[in-house]
């Protein structure tokens, strides 16, 4: 008898920790949702893993791969709970973090709150040293200055140091030497250098990114070591991989070295899940919508792949306002985060208007209906009153929720509004939907797209609850709800390839490029990226796919367009191909070309990817031939009738391939609940996904045996 092996995915969210086991041989998935333990995240993980393995009678030793995503490091930045950190920089540049870009994200706001630096002035020290923009040494580094700074930091209780010297991207010699000096004299200090974390021009962004890396590095080192040890103590001997913000995987040592790459790991996994299930359903252009207990995320998937950005803003003063956060130079799946989730708090403001979020009850104490001490009304409480949630089957039946507590929390707001609790609950549900739809509408339009041209794919515990209504507000007709939608982000971890992004600044006009020198620079990046991928997957794994790109601009412009380039090797004949690729990318973004001839190559980039799994991930297919998928009926709020109505409730796992459903209806599974509005129709795709048309115009005909159920 063949021994089955398993891949384990762990995704820590703000409210729930999702744990998924995928059988590499059968393609069958098992999942569990555990309440997140914010003050000790590993405890929730271990409790969830133990529950799932015990429930399914699976041996820990049968796991051959563990993939993990966490919001821990993002939260540390947002809440300013990182390690005590210091900055060592070139004489005269200690105020780079304070000066920033001198841009106002709200031009006419006289009381604007600008992003606050991670470090106070007293923790930013200078040393005598100077490099030219070409990397030539103008002022040798004073080594005594470096050691004096390290001594001062050590005595002050600083745990981590960021070293950012002027023009170190062109020549890292001073930063490397400074790190070696500190490591020799003060081995307990963590050190991050900009030439490794962010080797590119733009002093402010490079400094912010390196400081942020140093700020979370001790936390990452301790947490990842603890998680590795806890899993090993359970009997899981498989290697631990970490999800990166760019949608790839890396090994623990690389994650400890540059933990800033992990900031958006959870949302990236959701985007990968969206791309995967969209591809299975034959739909290439997707808006992947993931709503959890604390936040909602939206990512664009074009031609089957999530859109990748190379700049990210953390800890924004205004969540949806670009420029109000700290610019982090990392590769990340491009998405927006919205302060809307099941735990979002509802309240009446001073004008008597109903507001929802962005404040959240999180997992502790959680929504009022959890019975864990929460008193304020939340979106989850409203959904329970509307009949969308089954108190006995919430989170797979692992916890019960109380409709009486939910009503008690909503009643004071309903009294102020002068309306029944049920109508107030629908108001909460509608407002949070409009908040999410408005943010999605702007995000899609700013990228030159029209929302109705996409299909909306729903994941997360709240995605299927709210997704059809959000799609209607966006003018989208087709909605996709994959199997196990509530744990799809954790499932996305197991589809992720190993991926490494590398970049370096070259800053050359194309007319003056030494093509042999450029090819050497690209080859060096490719060799480093390839090395890390093979370290992640082990020698003997598939050869990584290497892709080249560059940050290009016309001479005189201040910012670049990231352009995909042909494979190497490069020589003088390559110039035409690069120019054509840049012009095409520029026209796609701006629609017309400026009257400028020469082009500058500012940064060069390499991405190395290789499949990490043993094969293509297959979703757990619904049971074929189930006799009765309908579990009964219950009273659910139907907006078209402005009242509660008895509607059919279906068991997701019992739906047959090709079976058709008509709204209003509710489809339940262990990790999520799908609400089908009146007038909609859905059918079960051969992959197990439910394809929904809000207008009722289904593209796939039902099988003859299902015709009677339409």
């Amino acid at each position: 008898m063949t021994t089955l092996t398993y891949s384990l995915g762990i995704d820590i969210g703000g409210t729930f920790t999702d744990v998924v086991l995928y059988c590499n041989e059968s393609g069958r998935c098992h999942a569990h949702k555990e309440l997140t333990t914010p003050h000790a995240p590993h405890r929730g993980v271990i409790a969830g893993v133990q529950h799932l393995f015990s429930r399914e009678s699976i041996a820990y030793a049968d796991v051959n791969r563990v993939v993990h995503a966490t919001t821990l490091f993002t939260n540390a930045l947002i809440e300013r709970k990182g390690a005590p950190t210091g900055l060592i920089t070139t004489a005269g540049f200690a105020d780079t973090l304070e000066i920033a870009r001198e841009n106002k994200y709200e031009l006419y706001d006289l009381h604007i709150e600008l992003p606050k630096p991670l470090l106070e002035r007293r923790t930013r020290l200078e040393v005598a040293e100077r490099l030219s923009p070409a990397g030539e040494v103008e002022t040798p580094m004073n080594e005594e200055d470096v050691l004096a700074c390290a001594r001062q930091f050590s005595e002050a209780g600083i745990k981590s140091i960021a070293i950012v010297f002027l023009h170190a991207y062109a020549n890292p010699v001073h930063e490397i030497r400074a790190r070696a000096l500190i490591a020799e004299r003060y081995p307990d200090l963590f050190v991050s250098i900009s030439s490794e974390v962010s080797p590119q021009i733009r002093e402010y962004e490079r400094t912010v990114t390196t400081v942020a890396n140093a700020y979370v590095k001790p936390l990452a080192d301790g947490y990842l070591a603890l998680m590795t040890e806890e899993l090993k103590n359970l009997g899981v001997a498989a290697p631990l991989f970490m999800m990166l913000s760019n949608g790839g995987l890396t090994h623990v040592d690389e994650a400890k070295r540059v933990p800033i790459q992990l900031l958006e790991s959870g949302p990236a996994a959701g985007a990968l899940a969206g791309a995967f299930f969209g591809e299975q359903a034959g739909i290439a252009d997707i808006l992947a919508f993931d709503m959890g207990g604390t936040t909602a995320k939206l990512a664009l998937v074009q031609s089957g792949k999530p859109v990748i950005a190379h700049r990210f803003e953390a800890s924004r003063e205004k969540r949806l306002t670009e420029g109000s956060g700290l610019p982090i130079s990392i590769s990340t799946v491009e998405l927006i985060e919205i302060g809307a989730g099941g735990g979002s708090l509802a309240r009446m403001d001073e004008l008597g208007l109903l507001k929802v979020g962005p404040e959240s009850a999180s997992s502790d104490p959680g929504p009022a209906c959890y019975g864990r001490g929460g008193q304020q009304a939340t979106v989850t409480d409203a959904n329970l009153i509307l009949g969308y949630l089954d108190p006995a089957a919430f989170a797979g039946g692992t916890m019960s929720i109380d409709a009486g507590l939910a009503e008690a929390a909503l009643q004071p707001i309903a009294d102020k509004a002068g309306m029944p609790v049920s109508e107030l609950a629908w108001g909460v549900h509608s407002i949070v939907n409009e908040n999410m739809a408005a943010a999605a509408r702007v995000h899609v339009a700013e990228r030159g797209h029209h929302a109705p041209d996409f299909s909306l794919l729903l994941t997360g515990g709240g995605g299927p609850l709210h997704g059809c209504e959000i799609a209607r507000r966006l003018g989208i007709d087709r909605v996709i709800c994959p199997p196990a939608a509530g744990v799809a982000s954790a499932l996305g971890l197991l589809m992720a390839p190993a991926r490494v992004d590398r970049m370096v600044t070259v800053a050359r006009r194309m007319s003056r490029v030494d093509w042999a020198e450029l090819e050497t620079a690209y080859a060096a990046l490719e060799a480093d990226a390839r090395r890390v991928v093979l370290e992640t997957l082990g020698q003997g794994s598939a050869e990584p796919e290497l892709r080249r790109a560059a940050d290009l601009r016309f001479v005189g412009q201040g910012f670049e367009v990231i352009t995909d380039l042909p494979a190497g090797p490069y020589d003088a004949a390559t110039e035409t191909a690069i120019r054509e690729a840049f012009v095409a990318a520029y026209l796609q973004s701006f629609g017309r070309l400026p009257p400028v001839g020469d082009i500058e190559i500012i940064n060069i980039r390499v991405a190395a990817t290789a499949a990490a799994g043993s094969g293509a991930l297959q979703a757990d297919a619904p049971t074929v031939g189930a006799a009765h998928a309908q579990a009964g009926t219950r009273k659910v709020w139907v907006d078209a009738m402005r009242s509660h109505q008895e509607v059919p409730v279906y068991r997701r796992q019992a739906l047959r391939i090709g079976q058709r459903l008509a709204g209003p209806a509710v489809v339940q599974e262990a990790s999520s609940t799908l609400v089908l509005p009146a007038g909609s129709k859905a059918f079960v795709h051969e992959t197990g996904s439910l394809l929904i048309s809000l207008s009722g115009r289904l593209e796939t005909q039902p099988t003859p045996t299902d015709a009677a159920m339409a």
Side-chain angles (χ1 to χ4, degrees):
M1 183 177 178
T2 303
T3 301
L4 299 179
T5 61
Y6 295 85
S7 296
L8 174 62
I10 302 166
D11 180 24
I12 301 179
T15 303
F16 283 99
T17 293
D18 296 339
V19 184
V20 168
L21 266 174
Y22 165 68
C23 180
N24 300 313
E25 288 75 27
S26 70
R28 185 173 174 80
C29 292
H30 311 278
H32 172 68
K33 295 181 83 73
E34 183 80 17
L35 277 172
T36 295
T37 49
H39 303 297
H42 69 283
R43 293 181 182 173
V45 170
I46 298 304
V49 170
Q50 289 175 320
H51 180 97
L52 181 59
F53 276 75
S54 174
R55 189 188 78 197
E56 301 298 335
S57 300
I58 293 172
Y60 295 116
D62 292 338
V63 175
N64 64 5
R65 186 169 66 113
V66 183
V67 187
H68 184 25
T70 176
T71 59
L72 183 63
F73 312 126
T74 306
N75 293 341
L77 282 182
I78 294 172
E79 298 170 10
R80 302 301 170 100
K81 293 182 178 179
T85 302
L87 169 67
I88 297 176
T89 189
T90 305
F93 287 84
D95 291 323
T96 297
L97 290 176
E98 207 83 49
I99 297 169
R101 284 289 177 193
E102 296 188 320
N103 290 336
K104 293 179 66 176
Y105 57 87
E106 294 284 1
L107 188 59
Y108 301 107
D109 186 350
L110 300 180
H111 305 286
I112 192 170
E113 291 285 338
L114 295 173
K116 297 177 180 63
L118 286 173
L119 305 183
E120 297 178 3
R121 184 62 177 80
R122 61 183 178 82
T123 60
R124 308 195 299 259
L125 304 180
E126 301 175 350
V127 301
E129 73 85 41
R130 186 83 178 216
L131 297 172
S132 73
E136 299 162 344
V137 177
E138 293 184 349
T139 302
M141 184 180 69
N142 188 317
E143 297 188 355
E144 290 302 318
D145 280 359
V146 173
L147 290 173
C149 290
R151 181 173 61 254
Q152 182 174 336
F153 282 148
S154 179
E155 292 172 353
I158 295 295
K159 302 298 182 185
S160 187
I161 295 176
I163 300 176
V164 185
F165 289 150
L166 193 65
H167 304 308
Y169 60 84
N171 184 356
V173 60
H174 284 175
E175 288 190 348
I176 292 173
R177 177 57 181 161
R179 179 176 59 183
L181 288 168
I182 295 172
E184 182 180 349
R185 190 72 60 89
Y186 302 96
D188 292 336
L189 289 175
F190 291 87
V191 180
S192 300
I193 62 175
S194 74
S195 51
E196 287 187 356
V197 176
S198 181
Q200 57 186 300
I201 62 168
R202 296 198 171 91
E203 204 68 21
Y204 173 57
E205 288 82 353
R206 182 160 59 93
T207 304
V208 170
T209 304
T210 309
V211 166
N213 190 78
Y215 191 66
V216 300
K217 193 169 187 176
L219 177 66
D221 188 86
Y223 172 77
L224 294 176
L226 176 63
M227 183 59 69
T228 302
E229 186 66 23
E230 290 283 347
L231 289 171
K232 190 174 295 184
N233 290 340
L234 282 181
V236 179
L240 174 64
F241 299 122
M242 295 303 298
M243 184 77 182
L244 299 175
S245 300
N246 61 14
L249 304 179
T250 193
H251 57 76
V252 169
D253 289 341
E254 175 71 5
K256 288 181 178 180
R257 188 181 71 85
V258 192
I260 201 70
Q261 300 177 89
L262 308 177
L263 283 189
E264 290 292 275
S265 57
L272 286 174
F276 173 77
F277 287 113
E279 181 183 23
Q280 283 206 322
I283 302 170
D285 295 330
I286 294 287
L287 297 181
F289 173 67
D290 184 339
M291 182 179 176
T294 307
T295 59
K297 282 80 67 175
L298 185 90
L300 270 74
V301 176
Q302 291 180 268
S303 302
K305 294 182 179 179
V307 176
I308 302 294
H310 297 280
R311 188 172 298 169
F312 166 72
E313 281 190 15
S315 189
R316 282 179 169 174
E317 294 295 326
K318 292 190 176 181
R319 186 181 293 270
L320 299 178
T321 304
E322 187 173 350
S324 67
L326 300 174
I328 307 292
S329 299
I330 58 172
S331 297
T332 177
V333 171
E334 187 175 59
L335 49 81
I336 56 167
E337 288 199 31
I338 309 156
S344 294
L345 299 175
R347 68 193 187 283
M348 299 291 285
D349 68 8
E350 58 274 9
L351 297 178
L353 300 175
L354 181 61
K355 301 290 185 182
V356 183
E359 296 81 9
S360 174
S362 189
S363 61
D364 185 14
C369 63
Y370 283 12
R372 297 165 59 89
Q375 301 294 321
Q376 293 177 275
T378 67
V379 172
T380 296
D381 296 312
N383 285 333
L384 181 56
I385 295 299
L386 293 171
Y388 297 156
L389 298 174
D390 183 350
F394 188 73
T398 59
M399 63 180 292
S400 60
I401 52 179
D402 189 326
L405 293 175
E407 185 170 356
L410 287 163
Q411 187 68 59
I413 306 175
D415 291 342
K416 288 182 181 179
M419 63 175 62
V421 168
S422 58
E423 290 189 15
L424 186 280
W426 176 251
V428 171
H429 184 87
S430 297
I431 287 173
V432 79
N433 286 343
E434 182 54 36
N435 290 345
M436 293 183 285
R441 195 178 296 116
V442 171
H443 181 71
V444 173
E446 285 180 343
R447 278 136 193 87
H449 300 294
H450 188 44
D453 294 337
F454 291 80
S455 297
L456 191 68
L457 189 134
L458 313 176
T459 59
L465 278 172
H466 294 261
C468 288
E469 176 66 17
I470 291 170
R472 183 185 67 78
R473 292 170 183 265
L474 290 172
I476 294 173
D477 183 62
R478 184 163 54 185
V479 179
I480 308 167
C481 185
V487 293
S489 285
L491 207 57
L493 297 173
L494 306 181
M495 332 173 174
R499 172 168 176 152
V500 173
D501 287 270
R502 289 289 185 263
M503 63 83 60
V504 71
T505 294
V506 296
R508 297 282 189 278
R509 289 194 179 196
M510 196 178 296
S511 59
R512 302 174 186 172
V513 165
D514 182 322
W515 291 97
E517 183 180 293
L518 182 66
E519 176 60 30
T520 299
Y522 265 114
L525 291 182
E526 289 174 338
D528 184 47
R530 177 181 178 277
R531 174 187 60 79
V532 176
V533 168
L534 292 179
E535 285 177 356
T536 300
L537 300 181
Q539 297 294 332
S541 58
E543 188 66 23
E545 177 188 354
L546 299 170
R547 296 191 300 278
R548 293 182 175 186
D551 299 4
L552 304 175
R553 68 188 185 193
F554 288 110
V555 171
Q557 291 183 326
F559 292 90
E560 301 79 46
V561 174
I562 298 175
T563 305
D564 292 327
L565 300 183
Y570 290 168
D571 55 29
T574 311
E575 180 176 349
T576 300
I578 292 178
R579 182 179 295 274
E580 290 174 352
F582 170 62
V583 167
Y586 195 96
L587 286 172
Q588 183 178 11
S589 296
F590 302 107
R592 58 186 303 177
L593 299 175
V596 180
D598 209 355
I599 296 170
E600 289 181 298
I601 304 176
I602 303 301
N603 302 316
I604 61 173
R605 300 179 182 273
V606 163
T609 58
S614 57
L617 181 66
Q618 297 295 324
D620 189 16
T623 304
V624 177
H628 300 288
Q630 186 171 336
T633 64
R634 73 165 176 260
K635 284 189 175 295
V636 167
W637 181 272
V638 179
D639 185 47
M641 301 178 185
R642 304 296 296 176
S643 64
H644 281 83
Q645 300 289 324
E646 286 285 342
V647 306
V649 178
Y650 296 95
R651 300 188 304 272
R652 177 70 183 262
Q653 68 274 18
L655 293 175
R656 300 197 297 269
I657 300 297
Q659 184 167 332
R660 295 184 69 166
L661 308 175
V666 171
V667 182
Q668 287 186 181
E669 59 182 330
S671 61
S672 65
T673 299
L674 171 67
V675 177
L676 291 175
S680 66
K681 291 188 181 297
F683 75 91
V684 183
H685 190 265
E686 61 185 11
T687 60
S689 289
L690 273 166
L691 302 191
I692 305 150
S693 170
L694 299 184
S695 65
R697 297 189 301 270
L698 289 178
E699 299 175 5
T700 297
Q701 295 299 316
T703 60
T705 56
D706 293 319
M709 300 188 64

